[in-house]
Amino acid sequence: MRLQLHSLILLCFCAATSAYGATPSDGQAVNRQRAELGRHLFFDKRLSGDWGMSCASCHNPMHGWSDGRALARGYSGANYGAAAPNGLRYFRNTPALFDVAGADSFNTDGHASSLSQSVGAMLTSAHFMHADSALVVERVWQSPQYRVLWKRAYGAHAQPSDQGVIAALSEFIRTLSPGMTPYDRYLRGEQAALSIEAQQGLALFQGKAGCIACHSGPRLSDGKFHRLGVPDHPDIAADPLRMMTMLNHYAALRMPDYMQANTDVGRYVVTRDEKDRGRFKTPGLRGLRYTGPYMHNGMLGTLDAVVDFYDRGGGDGAELKPLSLTVEEKKALVALLESMSGEPVRMELPQVLALALHPAVERKIRGKVRPALAASFPPLAPLPPVPVPPNNPMSAEKIALGKKLFWDGRLSGNGQLACVSCHLPALGWGDGQSTSRAYPGTKNWRNARTVLNAAYYKKLFWDGAADSLESQAPKAAHSPIEGHGDFATMEMRLRFIPEYVAEFSKVFGTEWPQISQAWQAIASYERTLVSDAAKVPFDRYMNGDKQALSQSALRGLVLFQGKANCITCHNGPLATDQKYHALGVPPSSAVRNDPLLQITYRWKQKQPSSNAVQLDDAGLYNLTRDAKDIGKFRTPSLRELKYTGPYMHNGVFEQLIDVVKFFNRGGGPGASALKPLGLSESEEKDLVAFLEALSMDQPLLDTAPNLPEWRADGKSSNPVQPAK
């Protein structure tokens, strides 16, 4: 994929002094090259999980580096737009980024102690950008222009890293200032900079109104935490997506009894000190003209409303006292607050930097010599009963729950991608594509394996990265190129669905759904997706029905166990030795030529270095780092082949006859254990006839379940109560 370069000019309410040579409020000089890299990254959507939103999506320069919303949007699966009802919505207002340099704590409850910590959390948190930091590094590395910017910022031999991304973003954010405001010019002696009304407001600010007590110093904030009695925003209680985000935040900070919370506790979530309940950090006042709505939850829409609120002495439980301001005095205060904002300036947005293949990828054009195949094998046989682990016994209720979860997109990052999204019944429980669909903003470089008969595998995935169905499900759901789900977020979603709360309680006997239990239920459902021996011609033949195989298929069976030698690796009831072999499968032109696929493949290798580039999928080697495993992949089962194409780890063969012809040629380069088979064209067809006889007469299908809705008490302030 190649992104078109473009340049936009935008009226931005930002710093007139945002030149990178300016000194931020922390008094430290700016690294110009690093800030320039950060400027590009700040506006780049490749930093989010689905490549759908950037830092600027919520910190928009047109809104004073905020978003103009009462409550922040949060991560919602931006590539789906309005069609993403199951994403996330945040429970607080987006803070503006003016003058954050030099602060000693960040976020309205102060849970981050440094700018870099706050930036890193914004990138990786499931509530915001929901990015995998290693995948972001690969996306950055894939752009030639970013590599140039990176070397300017960090040195000629520097390689991209997540720490470097965070440092560059932090450096750019340090430059964001409201500039020389009328208020600043007045303090420097320019009397005409403030209107008479604003000067009266300054006298009130420092005197009768007492604002200076908390809004002091160069940042116009004492950096402390205060209780003002701001009323709760009603949308938090009414919207499960906001409530669950709030509870997730509490859970992440290990607040006791977080599931019983129904209001924003503020600083208490950090300190656990009751006197801090409902306290929030004092915001700076610079740039206020452009950063409304105001307060931690956006409950006050205008500066007039803010002044009125303080004049009343705040809300319930506030540490404030009524000010008894006149109408004219309140107007004067508003005039002063508006004078603390600079003027709009023009800002050139950075170009979207294009993807391209790295030169090192293009240079690697040769195959590798690969080890020989194993030789021992057990005979073909009908499938035995499905093995069930003792720590996850099956039941009808658990299977029914697992089926719903298998179809439920809420077990993903954006709330849209269910297990069934890549394992569709009508497509052989795969997805029918050469390389599997992936999470938005990514591409997968491998073929989606069918879940049919997966219950019999000792290892799952093409490289055997999971050793059970229970461990396979979370790996797929969590992987940033597959489901990209955050475990805490997915668990909280389940807790906000009354039907799930009741079903989990019935099946597992727990008060609240646990995400580990979801994987157990899904695994139980998947253990029902197996071939029915009564419907498989080969199994009927092995069970005594000698008419079950056609004459062509019978000839194919002889070839399979003899001249074609397929049984060497495709043996036993599952028709696989469950081992790993290198066959020299032709490379996928898509993987070799698509920069986006190269990103995800290199991420899989976890080697963001030009010296470590593998041109083609190294298979098992990516896990073992043993050279003898380069190019090895798990031997797939031959059962249900009729319905599960395209074939091989990269889906390079569309038809079974293509696979047979490949083996007849002796495989590809480096397949040292394979030799040309010398099969005639008719023998190739007979072999295909036998392979098709390993599939059921009709595909195994299942109908989609009715998925439960979010909690029924949408207007309640409490989360769903557990079943009794």
Side-chain angles (χ1 to χ4, degrees):
M1 164 181 170
R2 211 175 272 276
L3 299 178
Q4 293 182 344
L5 298 178
H6 71 281
S7 177
L8 298 177
I9 303 296
L10 182 65
L11 270 175
C12 296
F13 299 114
C14 59
T17 59
S18 63
Y20 303 139
T23 301
S25 56
D26 60 1
Q28 302 296 315
V30 172
N31 182 313
R32 296 176 66 251
Q33 291 80 13
R34 198 166 294 177
E36 175 64 6
L37 171 62
R39 183 175 73 96
H40 282 79
L41 293 169
F42 190 89
F43 290 92
D44 199 329
K45 294 181 179 181
R46 76 188 75 193
L47 266 64
S48 67
D50 68 350
W51 208 310
M53 60 189 299
S54 68
C55 302
S57 296
C58 293
H59 295 284
N60 188 331
M62 293 187 69
H63 292 289
W65 302 100
S66 182
D67 64 359
R69 302 166 183 254
L71 298 175
R73 61 186 291 184
Y75 180 83
S76 59
N79 272 323
Y80 285 92
N86 298 329
L88 287 176
R89 303 186 186 106
Y90 202 53
F91 64 101
R92 288 178 181 160
N93 182 266
T94 299
L97 297 182
F98 284 134
D99 281 340
V100 298
D104 54 10
S105 66
F106 297 81
N107 307 103
T108 52
D109 58 17
H111 68 268
S113 59
S114 68
L115 179 57
S116 60
Q117 181 186 8
S118 180
V119 170
M122 294 301 104
L123 287 179
T124 58
S125 169
H127 305 156
F128 298 110
M129 303 286 282
H130 192 35
D132 178 89
S133 57
L135 190 57
V136 167
V137 168
E138 297 300 350
R139 289 170 173 172
V140 170
W141 184 82
Q142 194 67 41
S143 167
Q145 296 99 323
Y146 265 129
R147 291 197 290 271
V148 172
L149 288 170
W150 198 277
K151 293 182 187 301
R152 290 175 182 170
Y154 295 109
H157 301 292
Q159 292 292 332
S161 66
D162 54 349
Q163 296 90 345
V165 169
I166 292 170
L169 284 168
S170 301
E171 197 71 359
F172 171 67
I173 292 171
R174 290 180 64 237
T175 70
L176 305 181
S177 161
M180 186 58 63
T181 68
Y183 169 78
D184 293 314
R185 296 201 310 271
Y186 178 83
L187 293 183
R188 294 191 177 192
E190 187 181 336
Q191 294 295 309
L194 287 187
S195 67
I196 298 300
E197 187 177 43
Q199 291 182 38
Q200 294 170 348
L202 179 57
L204 290 164
F205 188 93
Q206 298 173 324
K208 179 180 179 180
C211 310
I212 194 72
C214 298
H215 295 282
S216 57
R219 300 180 62 251
L220 295 171
S221 168
D222 61 2
K224 298 179 181 179
F225 301 84
H226 303 284
R227 185 185 302 108
L228 307 181
V230 178
D232 292 329
H233 197 297
D235 283 359
I236 297 175
D239 186 345
L241 297 178
R242 294 198 191 278
M243 178 67 79
M244 70 175 62
T245 304
M246 183 177 76
L247 299 187
N248 261 349
H249 178 64
Y250 295 166
L253 294 179
R254 300 182 179 179
M255 188 181 91
D257 299 322
Y258 64 89
M259 281 301 295
Q260 306 308 317
N262 53 28
T263 61
D264 194 337
V265 300
R267 181 65 172 167
Y268 171 78
V269 73
V270 178
T271 67
R272 309 290 197 280
D273 190 331
E274 281 296 331
K275 75 176 187 300
D276 287 331
R277 190 180 290 271
R279 284 182 170 175
F280 297 89
K281 185 177 179 181
T282 305
L285 300 182
R286 296 178 180 275
L288 280 183
R289 185 188 302 170
Y290 314 117
T291 58
Y294 305 99
M295 303 304 184
H296 68 277
N297 56 8
M299 280 296 289
L300 302 180
T302 65
L303 289 176
D304 294 286
V306 173
V307 172
D308 281 336
F309 177 77
Y310 277 88
D311 185 46
R312 295 192 302 271
D316 293 342
E319 302 166 352
L320 304 174
K321 295 181 179 180
L323 304 178
S324 301
L325 300 176
T326 66
V327 172
E328 290 74 17
E329 287 174 329
K330 288 190 282 188
K331 289 181 178 179
L333 266 180
V334 170
L336 172 69
L337 295 175
E338 289 183 340
S339 77
M340 294 173 175
S341 300
E343 294 298 323
V345 300
R346 291 186 177 274
M347 181 179 183
E348 184 176 354
L349 296 188
Q351 296 174 330
V352 177
L353 303 185
L355 299 177
L357 290 180
H358 192 279
V361 174
E362 299 182 17
R363 288 195 297 267
K364 291 178 176 287
I365 58 174
R366 300 298 179 190
K368 302 174 178 65
V369 176
R370 299 172 171 95
L373 302 176
S376 59
F377 55 88
L380 294 172
L383 287 171
V386 172
V388 178
N391 61 350
N392 188 25
M394 295 175 67
S395 68
E397 292 82 3
K398 187 185 291 186
I399 292 168
L401 174 59
K403 178 178 177 178
K404 291 179 183 177
L405 296 172
F406 189 88
W407 254 271
D408 200 328
R410 287 169 287 198
L411 291 183
S412 68
N414 57 21
Q416 304 300 305
L417 293 179
C419 303
V420 77
S421 299
C422 295
H423 300 285
L424 291 84
L427 295 174
W429 298 85
D431 67 1
Q433 302 182 46
S434 296
T435 53
S436 173
R437 70 173 296 182
Y439 193 79
T442 70
K443 287 188 178 181
N444 204 324
W445 68 97
R446 287 180 180 167
N447 181 263
R449 293 299 305 135
T450 178
V451 296
L452 288 172
N453 299 313
Y456 295 99
Y457 279 116
K458 298 175 183 177
K459 297 284 186 178
L460 285 301
F461 297 114
W462 278 106
D463 53 12
D467 57 9
S468 69
L469 290 174
E470 286 80 2
S471 64
Q472 183 273 338
K475 286 179 181 292
H478 183 62
S479 167
I481 63 166
E482 294 176 76
H484 197 25
D486 173 76
F487 290 134
T489 297
M490 293 186 288
E491 182 175 85
M492 193 63 70
R493 285 176 178 150
L494 295 175
R495 295 182 180 190
F496 270 72
I497 303 170
E499 186 174 324
Y500 279 152
V501 173
E503 289 190 49
F504 273 81
S505 178
K506 182 177 181 180
V507 172
F508 296 102
T510 51
E511 180 180 25
W512 296 104
Q514 307 292 327
I515 194 63
S516 59
Q517 297 165 347
W519 313 134
Q520 289 183 307
I522 289 173
S524 291
Y525 171 64
E526 290 177 330
R527 289 192 173 96
T528 69
L529 305 178
V530 297
S531 299
D532 183 347
K535 299 177 181 178
V536 178
F538 171 74
D539 288 342
R540 295 200 300 268
Y541 177 83
M542 295 296 289
N543 287 326
D545 181 2
K546 299 309 178 183
Q547 305 301 314
L549 293 183
S550 68
Q551 291 301 307
S552 178
L554 285 170
R555 292 192 297 269
L557 174 58
V558 173
L559 290 166
F560 187 94
Q561 299 181 106
K563 181 178 179 180
N565 202 30
C566 309
I567 199 164
T568 301
C569 301
H570 294 282
N571 48 61
L574 200 55
T576 171
D577 60 4
Q578 304 208 44
K579 297 180 181 179
Y580 304 86
H581 305 291
L583 306 177
V585 175
S588 166
S589 60
V591 174
R592 284 196 171 194
N593 298 315
D594 189 327
L596 196 55
L597 277 167
Q598 282 288 327
I599 288 172
T600 48
Y601 170 51
R602 198 170 58 252
W603 166 83
K604 176 66 175 179
Q605 296 182 84
K606 295 182 175 63
Q607 295 178 336
S609 166
S610 59
N611 297 323
V613 169
Q614 295 284 347
L615 178 62
D616 299 313
D617 195 338
L620 184 61
Y621 171 80
N622 290 328
L623 294 181
T624 67
R625 296 297 189 235
D626 189 332
K628 74 176 186 298
D629 291 331
I630 292 175
K632 284 185 176 181
F633 296 91
R634 179 172 58 82
T635 305
S637 169
L638 300 183
R639 289 184 172 274
E640 306 306 325
L641 279 184
K642 188 190 299 185
Y643 311 114
T644 57
Y647 306 98
M648 303 307 198
H649 67 275
N650 55 7
V652 73
F653 297 132
E654 291 288 335
Q655 306 294 331
L656 280 176
I657 190 64
D658 300 325
V659 178
V660 171
K661 288 182 179 296
F662 169 75
F663 279 91
N664 194 22
R665 294 193 298 270
S672 56
L674 297 181
K675 298 179 180 179
L677 304 177
L679 300 179
S680 66
E681 185 175 343
S682 62
E683 287 175 325
E684 289 178 339
K685 292 179 179 179
D686 288 340
L687 195 52
V688 169
F690 171 69
L691 294 176
E692 290 181 339
L694 291 168
S695 302
M696 291 189 291
D697 301 315
Q698 299 295 327
L700 176 64
L701 301 176
D702 203 354
T703 56
N706 292 321
L707 297 180
E709 300 294 334
W710 294 115
R711 67 183 191 201
D713 62 335
K715 296 184 179 180
S716 170
S717 61
N718 294 313
V720 173
Q721 295 302 308
K724 300 299 183 183

